[in-house]
Amino acid sequence: MNESHPTIVDWNLAERVALALAGSGPRWSGSEEELRAESDRAARLVRDYTRLKPKGQVPSAELVDRGEWAKVNIESFRHLSSRVEEHLQERIESSGNGSRGGGGLQRTIVGAATGAEVGLALGYLSQRVIGQYDVALIGPARAPRLLFVGPNLTAARRRLNVDRDLFLSWIALHETTHAVHFASVPWLREHIGGIAEELFEKAAIEVKPADMIAKLVRLNPRELIRSATSLELATLLWPEPQRRLVERLTAAMTMVEGYAEHVMDAVGDRLDPGYAGLRLALDRDRERRGLLDSIVSKLLGLEMKLAQYRRGKAFADEVARAHGIRTLNRAWQEPDSLPRPEELDSPSDWVDRVGVARERRLFALFR
């Protein structure tokens, strides 16, 4: 990317703000080896329940601090936005407005404002995120990482006041489920990334840079970052075809998250009788967040993410209850097998479409 011009986001500023806000936090008393052992055990349990078979290696757990987590995610966001920024910059330069007058100043202001907002968002999240399965969805494939944020492990366990071993088992299961899933369904990364890349490409081609900059300048910075992190930015900048792509992307991610939530609960209940109690403690912790925490969560779009988990989990729970995990796994046969947006609220329609009900009826007739 051409670094001689201001971009949509001032990434250097974003990193400085995120690292300043992240802080150090309490020290995690355990070791990376302990996390790896728990994650390896969790991977075996997930494979046993789901019958998924990883095609590649599931990454080993890594213990990181808040600053390292923030840097990893800034780099991921930078890659996500690089292509559309390149296209926009090329169009600005070809129009002859790349560095003259108010246009350049406006881009500088927008870049600084969005950079500060991204930094604030990631700095805040760096104090909250306990673990993360990091995978490149756009661009060349790179080795995925399984990250656990040491200070946040300690802070969360203290806040929840739960058994240390059970807590460690839960968080390892929580993140390793995603790792096993993506390793077992290789086309999933390319499918989700392909939709996102198409969104960015079309945005760069069809959205006029001047119009985009004008909208961004007029937009409240907090609304901008909330919209961007909750995938609502398309409703502000893009026409109807792109909005439909956002619906497809959201539906795919809702299924991914819902499947993981279903698997975690199913495996967790078998793993330890205390798992249900830990789950309740986590839900209560979400409910009694302070006013500031709740406001920030809404600004970052985290409330939408929780709703996405619930919607996807309800779908996965119902399909697994009525038809079993093998039927639910049909969602991972090919991209067209994923639930469509309208099917997420009607699991029986999805089951009929993928042919499970029809096959069972034929089996009953000829057995």
Side-chain angles (χ1 to χ4, degrees), residues 1 6-12 14 81 85 107 110-112 114-116 118-119:
M1 184 165 53
T7 57
I8 294 174
V9 179
D10 184 336
W11 294 106
N12 291 329
S81 67
E85 289 186 342
R107 290 198 308 279
V110 169
T114 53
V118 169

Side-chain angles (χ1 to χ4, degrees), residues 55-69:
K55 308 299 189 297
Q57 187 174 4
V58 177
S60 297
E62 299 178 55
L63 186 63
V64 300
D65 59 22
R66 291 173 176 174
E68 175 66 14
W69 181 89

Side-chain angles (χ1 to χ4, degrees), residues 264-316:
M264 283 184 279
D265 277 359
V267 174
D269 286 340
R270 299 178 180 184
L271 179 66
D272 193 296
Y275 177 86
L278 176 57
R279 182 78 176 196
L280 288 174
L282 289 163
D283 290 340
R284 287 196 300 269
D285 184 60
R286 289 170 177 171
E287 292 171 0
R288 65 168 179 261
R289 287 174 306 178
L291 176 61
L292 178 60
D293 198 32
S294 297
I295 291 173
V296 173
S297 295
K298 285 184 170 62
L299 290 176
L300 298 182
L302 300 182
E303 297 297 327
M304 174 173 286
K305 193 170 181 64
L306 291 177
Q308 187 172 301
Y309 287 164
R310 288 191 288 268
R311 188 184 183 203
K313 185 177 185 301
F315 174 93

Side-chain angles (χ1 to χ4, degrees), residues 21 66 69 73 77 118-130 149 152 229 296-297 300 302:
L21 188 59
R66 291 173 176 174
W69 181 89
N73 282 273
F77 286 159
V118 169
L120 286 169
L122 288 177
Y124 169 80
L125 289 174
S126 72
Q127 300 179 25
R128 305 288 297 180
V129 171
I130 303 172
V149 187
N152 299 345
T229 54
V296 173
S297 295
L300 298 182
L302 300 182

